[in-house]
Amino acid sequence: ALWFAGIHGAAIVGGIMAPFWLVNLGLNQDALAAGVELPATFAEPFWSFFIVLGGSGATFALVLLYLRSKSVHLKSIGKLCVVPSIFNINEPIIFGSPIVMNPILFIPFIGAPMINATIAFIAVKTDMIGKAVSLVPWTAPAPIGAAWGAGWQMSNAAMVIGLIVLDLAIYYPFFKIYEKELLKQEEADANSVEEGNNTGDLQPA
């Protein structure tokens, strides 16, 4: 929600949540050493690699959609953002789209992480995926980071891929609405330039 106003939400929320993440991670490490069930779900790897895939708002899916966009602007943003997004850096897409102050993209920007969190939480509680036992750099690509954080459980990596597919479905209708608006704007701009050129051709030498 902070991002909508142009405020770096991850920097603010991350600073508040870091102590809780570290305590939970420590509890899991102690339980792992003692050979008992891991107690905590919500550690930093859970946040970074299941909830905010590609950065705040789970925008990796949106980058993939941009790469196939008919809009020149969106396709350019997609090409620019794909590599940073793999490493969970998404300021370029947030400010380049922009998502800031954009009511169309803001809906999935809020909704996709919430749905990701719910599904991943249920998957943890039903033992479909493992809990975090190690601190992983948040810039690790999500499938690698998710597996790494849980002691290299490949089910975690598979869950990440499934969530990305789901995020594609969540973002798609909003992306198409925004793309349609931009295509109209780009067409109008192109017509304006063409009219200006034609007017220039009619000017006396």
Side-chain angles (χ1 to χ4, degrees):
L2 293 169
W3 273 117
F4 186 65
I7 300 170
H8 200 299
I12 295 172
V13 174
I16 295 170
M17 296 305 300
F20 298 96
W21 289 335
L22 292 173
V23 168
N24 285 345
L25 187 62
L27 292 173
N28 282 356
Q29 290 173 339
D30 290 343
L32 181 66
V36 297
E37 184 179 353
L38 308 184
T41 298
F42 194 59
E44 186 173 2
F46 183 86
W47 170 274
S48 298
F49 306 124
F50 291 125
I51 300 178
V52 289
L53 294 168
S56 298
T59 53
F60 184 69
L62 188 60
V63 172
L64 296 180
L65 291 171
Y66 280 7
L67 289 174
R68 301 297 301 272
S69 177
K70 297 176 183 177
S71 164
V72 174
H73 173 71
L74 294 184
K75 193 165 189 175
S76 298
I77 293 295
K79 290 178 180 179
L80 176 68
C81 296
V82 65
V83 173
S85 188
I86 290 172
F87 299 98
N88 300 315
I89 298 168
N90 71 339
E91 284 84 354
I93 194 170
I94 287 175
F95 292 107
S97 295
I99 293 174
V100 174
M101 303 299 287
N102 185 333
I104 298 172
L105 293 180
F106 186 66
I107 296 171
F109 187 78
I110 291 290
M114 294 174 67
I115 294 171
N116 288 351
T118 302
I119 292 173
F121 185 82
I122 293 171
V124 169
K125 291 301 182 182
T126 55
D127 295 323
M128 290 176 61
I129 59 176
K131 296 177 182 177
V133 294
S134 60
L135 187 60
V136 180
W138 60 268
T139 50
I144 296 172
W148 182 1
W152 295 107
Q153 294 193 38
M154 291 299 105
S155 58
N156 286 40
M159 174 59 69
V160 169
I161 295 170
L163 290 175
I164 290 172
V165 173
L166 176 62
D167 291 343
L168 284 167
I170 294 169
Y171 268 105
Y172 183 76
F174 300 93
F175 154 73
K176 292 303 289 184
I177 293 170
Y178 189 48
E179 180 188 51
K180 187 176 180 180
E181 287 189 1
L182 288 185
L183 286 172
K184 288 181 180 178
Q185 182 179 329
E186 289 173 4
E187 184 179 358
D189 290 343
N191 290 338
S192 178
V193 170
E194 185 177 349
E195 289 175 5
N197 291 338
N198 290 338
T199 303
D201 292 341
L202 295 175
Q203 294 296 324

